Amino acid sequence: MDFSDRLLDAGSAIWDAQKEHPFVVELAEGSLDEAAFRHWVKQDYRYLLDYARVFALAGTKADDEETARRLIGTAHATLADEMDLHRSFAADYGLSPADLESVEKAPTCAAYTDFLVRTAHEGSIAEVVAAVYPCGQGYLDVADHMASLAAEEHRYTPFIEKYTSDEFRETVGWMRELVDRYGETYPGERDAMRAAFLRSARLEHAFWEMCYTEEEWSV
């Protein structure tokens, strides 16, 4: 069994919980409250800024030129393409680029990005790759699940289409290959990779909950 499959088996209960979360189910049906989706747009925009930084930092730790190029290229693509998509979503819901830039991270978003950035600074390349893998594979699997639930096109269809696109699948496949390669090359890193993977997977589930409840700081 590939190491990525072992990680997914270890996180299977978290994956099931994500697919069953009301944010995911209601988005698939088109019935999700606009305020919850708007909260996702704002918080995920802030998340992506740090997600890009993590890939850039990972590129400095890569042990071959091609991997370094792809990691840094993914950081650029996140900033240039995926954040443009979020700005487009934002405009549809009455949010300007200035609104997005002024958003304060909610507690769960801050916890997730703090973990990723700290791992990128302090962890090995293998650990960093395992930490970002749940975001890519999780969104693909959840979006595939959404697509199976969606009976017709609706206002959230562009979200589902983005995260089930061929381009996104290719990126996730590459991330999976990295996890397998580093898990094979550095067997001593597997426990740390597994711990990082599970922490991020739990935070992915918490992110859906954060958006659904429109979590903010209490004081």
Side-chain angles (χ1 to χ4, degrees), residues 7-40:
L7 294 181
L8 291 171
D9 278 354
S12 61
I14 306 170
W15 250 245
D16 290 343
Q18 289 192 75
K19 292 176 181 178
E20 294 166 3
H21 195 280
F23 186 101
V24 169
V25 174
E26 291 174 20
L27 188 151
E29 295 172 343
S31 62
L32 180 68
D33 190 283
E34 285 189 12
F37 189 74
R38 190 179 298 112
H39 201 64
W40 173 82

Side-chain angles (χ1 to χ4, degrees), residues 41 82-95 100:
V41 171
E82 191 164 2
M83 294 186 74
D84 272 349
L85 176 70
H86 282 57
R87 283 186 280 268
S88 175
F89 281 145
D92 290 340
Y93 289 88
L95 297 168
L100 294 177

Side-chain angles (χ1 to χ4, degrees), residues 188-200:
E189 295 281 351
R190 289 177 188 170
D191 286 347
M193 292 176 73
R194 183 179 186 276
F197 172 86
L198 291 174
R199 172 70 66 87
S200 287

Side-chain angles (χ1 to χ4, degrees), residues 115 118-119 122-132 182 189 192-193 195-197:
F115 168 67
R118 177 174 59 81
T119 302
E122 299 177 2
S124 67
I125 181 64
E127 193 174 356
V128 179
V129 166
V132 297
Y182 287 124
E189 295 281 351
M193 292 176 73
F197 172 86

Side-chain angles (χ1 to χ4, degrees), residues 174-188:
W174 164 72
M175 293 171 68
R176 186 184 182 102
E177 289 172 4
L178 279 186
V179 169
D180 289 335
R181 190 212 312 168
Y182 287 124
E184 179 68 24
T185 304
Y186 305 112

